[in-house]
Amino acid sequence: MKLLRYGPPGGELPGLLHTDGTVRSLAKMVDDLAGSALSNSSLESLRQSNLDDLPVVEAPGRLGPCVTGVGKFLCVGLNYSDHAAESGMDVPAEPVLFMKATSAIVGPNDDVVIPKDSTKTDWEVELGIVIGEPASHVSEQDALNYVAGYCVVNDLSEREFQLERCGQWVKGKSCDTFAPLGPYLVTRDEIPNPQDLALWLEVDGHRYQDGSTQTMVFGVAELVSYISRFMTLHPGDIISTGTPPGVGLGQKPPVYLRPGQTMTLGIDGLGQQSQTTVAWENA
């Protein structure tokens, strides 16, 4: 299933993209796409219902973030060997983990704000894992059973804030609007092999990133298992799994985002996003 949320910011309603291309309302079936609604039993109940009987949403308008109530937004750094090389960093022996503020989350096609005093705002297309069941010390063999599904993430970064301003990466990753999610939460049954997905990103029609999850250093199951050793993962938590090469930082010379540009990005089977960049003072 391709689950979604539609409506104005703060007023989104749960929905589903039907196989006939229409958006159907889930408002009478789940309160929202959060918490227990993401559990295996809840998703199976939706799957077994007669989706043809769900009300059609005639004009869904804006798409919001595909999940809400996100408790933890975890990110994995340098998880593609060729991206580590373009960043001038070694491939890590274990997953590099950092947090992204949940206040950065926006809809898949909402504007992205270039932060005040930013000179190095950058893009990163990433596969997002959405947790559906509480996971603590789970094995790699069982890890995917704790996954509700997957989504597209644009893990935007301000490289000066991230790399030149001391401390951890979080302040370069957490600016407002730096985490567009969606358009869909695609349930895991529709993605039998998350390690074989093409992902790409363009800026103003120029393709900068064109990779595959085949080249991830640490795969989805390994990441869920690994992270669950250090903290319990809860329904709605997101793990953004790293980016392939082609980020602005890796260009020669580096290329960074300016107001008035358009980013378009997507992942096989998970849909496509498009954001316009706007200046902080005009946001």
Side-chain angles (χ1 to χ4, degrees):
M1 296 179 293
K2 291 181 172 64
L3 307 177
L4 54 85
R5 299 173 66 249
Y6 62 94
E12 293 96 343
L13 296 170
L16 173 147
L17 182 68
H18 196 281
T19 54
D20 64 6
T22 61
V23 171
R24 303 297 180 103
S25 172
L26 292 176
K28 291 185 178 179
M29 302 190 71
V30 295
D31 291 334
D32 211 336
L33 299 181
S36 61
L38 303 174
S39 69
N40 289 330
S41 60
S42 175
L43 294 178
E44 182 60 24
S45 177
L46 287 179
R47 203 173 286 113
Q48 295 301 322
S49 62
N50 189 344
L51 302 181
D52 293 333
D53 291 341
L54 294 173
V56 174
V57 180
E58 295 295 348
R62 169 187 175 267
L63 292 180
C66 58
V67 292
T68 188
V70 178
K72 294 188 289 295
F73 199 131
L74 292 143
C75 299
V76 184
L78 306 175
N79 198 30
Y80 289 71
S81 56
D82 33 12
H83 172 57
E86 74 172 352
S87 301
M89 301 179 186
D90 294 331
V91 174
E94 295 186 34
V96 174
L97 302 181
F98 60 94
M99 295 282 201
K100 197 175 184 86
T102 57
S103 54
I105 294 172
V106 292
N109 304 314
D110 289 346
D111 289 346
V112 164
V113 178
I114 305 292
K116 186 177 186 292
D117 301 323
S118 168
T119 58
K120 298 180 179 180
T121 294
D122 203 350
W123 57 82
E124 295 187 11
V125 59
E126 304 201 1
L127 172 67
I129 306 167
V130 180
I131 299 298
E133 298 281 348
S136 177
H137 294 276
V138 302
S139 70
E140 187 173 338
Q141 291 71 27
D142 292 337
L144 295 187
N145 294 326
Y146 296 83
V147 173
Y150 306 96
C151 65
V152 181
V153 178
N154 192 351
D155 176 25
L156 287 132
S157 314
E158 212 296 338
R159 300 300 188 187
E160 182 191 10
F161 299 175
Q162 177 190 1
L163 302 172
E164 302 172 35
R165 297 285 292 274
C166 301
Q168 298 179 344
W169 290 357
V170 64
K171 63 178 173 280
K173 294 284 188 170
S174 295
C175 303
D176 292 347
T177 74
F178 268 27
L181 295 184
Y184 314 119
L185 165 59
V186 180
T187 52
R188 73 170 188 266
D189 58 297
E190 293 203 6
I191 307 295
N193 183 7
Q195 302 310 142
D196 188 20
L197 301 175
L199 63 172
W200 55 273
L201 182 145
E202 298 176 350
V203 180
D204 292 340
H206 178 82
R207 183 157 295 199
Y208 283 96
Q209 293 189 275
D210 202 351
S212 170
T213 58
Q214 291 180 359
T215 64
M216 289 168 67
V217 179
F218 307 103
V220 168
E222 186 174 2
L223 289 174
V224 172
S225 175
Y226 178 86
I227 295 170
S228 77
R229 301 177 209 166
F230 301 97
M231 66 196 81
T232 299
L233 295 168
H234 294 284
D237 286 351
I238 293 170
I239 304 170
S240 200
T241 57
T243 197
V247 300
L249 175 68
Q251 306 303 308
K252 300 185 186 306
V255 176
Y256 297 112
L257 292 164
R258 308 180 307 276
Q261 295 188 290
T262 299
M263 288 175 285
T264 308
L265 56 150
I267 300 178
D268 278 356
L270 302 184
Q272 181 174 305
Q273 302 181 354
S274 183
Q275 302 104 28
T276 299
T277 54
V278 298
W280 176 81
E281 57 268 24
N282 295 329

